[in-house]
Amino acid sequence: MARSHPVYLKIRRWVDVRLSDPAVHVQLGPLLVRRAHLPVLIAVAAFAPLIALHLLIGPLPAPAWLIGCVWAVASAAFMGWRGWRLIRASSIKSARDYDRRAKFDLPPEYAASESLLAHQRRERRAQP
């Protein structure tokens, strides 16, 4: 397997830390941003330099705006993908914790139960 580029790893780590932080707000420089609004803020930040240049030097060519649109969509898609991966990892950890420890703290009739993840894995192994 090829190693990932160091810049990609730094960006991925930054995104993962911001998305997995249990705090409701994230400090981005002087801004205090709700964690749920972070992907939108990153996508809008793609247009900030374009808007500044448009105001300072006049109308920009269409390719500049197209590049901004592509960057905004790509960054929002990346943040959404990483968020989905973090949610999936959290649900796997939670299911394993339930199977190993939490179900035994419940009333006795739940001790024989299993998590949805364990059920899905068992069903996959049973299929030919």
Side-chain angles (χ1 to χ4, degrees):
M1 184 173 161
R3 294 189 60 170
S4 297
H5 195 275
V7 174
Y8 164 74
L9 293 175
K10 285 181 181 181
I11 292 171
R12 188 180 77 183
R13 193 171 302 118
W14 183 86
V15 169
D16 289 351
V17 166
R18 297 305 182 277
L19 290 178
S20 63
D21 186 12
V24 175
H25 291 89
V26 177
Q27 184 78 31
L28 291 176
L31 299 174
L32 196 61
V33 180
R34 290 186 60 85
R35 191 170 28 140
H37 299 151
L38 193 58
V40 174
L41 180 69
I42 297 298
V44 168
F47 289 104
L50 294 175
I51 293 171
L53 286 173
H54 180 74
L55 294 174
L56 291 175
I57 62 173
L60 295 175
W65 293 105
L66 184 63
I67 290 170
C69 288
V70 169
W71 178 256
V73 168
S75 62
F78 179 74
M79 300 245 331
W81 172 67
R82 292 307 300 171
W84 179 80
R85 296 277 313 239
L86 290 170
I87 290 170
R88 179 78 177 134
S90 176
S91 69
I92 289 171
K93 285 181 184 178
S94 175
R96 287 183 180 158
D97 181 60
Y98 175 79
D99 287 330
R100 292 180 184 155
R101 185 189 59 80
K103 68 181 179 183
F104 301 110
D105 294 338
L106 298 173
E109 59 267 17
Y110 294 106
S113 67
E114 64 183 356
S115 66
L116 177 64
L117 179 68
H119 173 73
Q120 289 172 342
R121 285 187 176 166
R122 187 171 45 77
E123 289 293 319
R124 257 186 266 135
R125 277 188 255 127
Q127 291 178 353

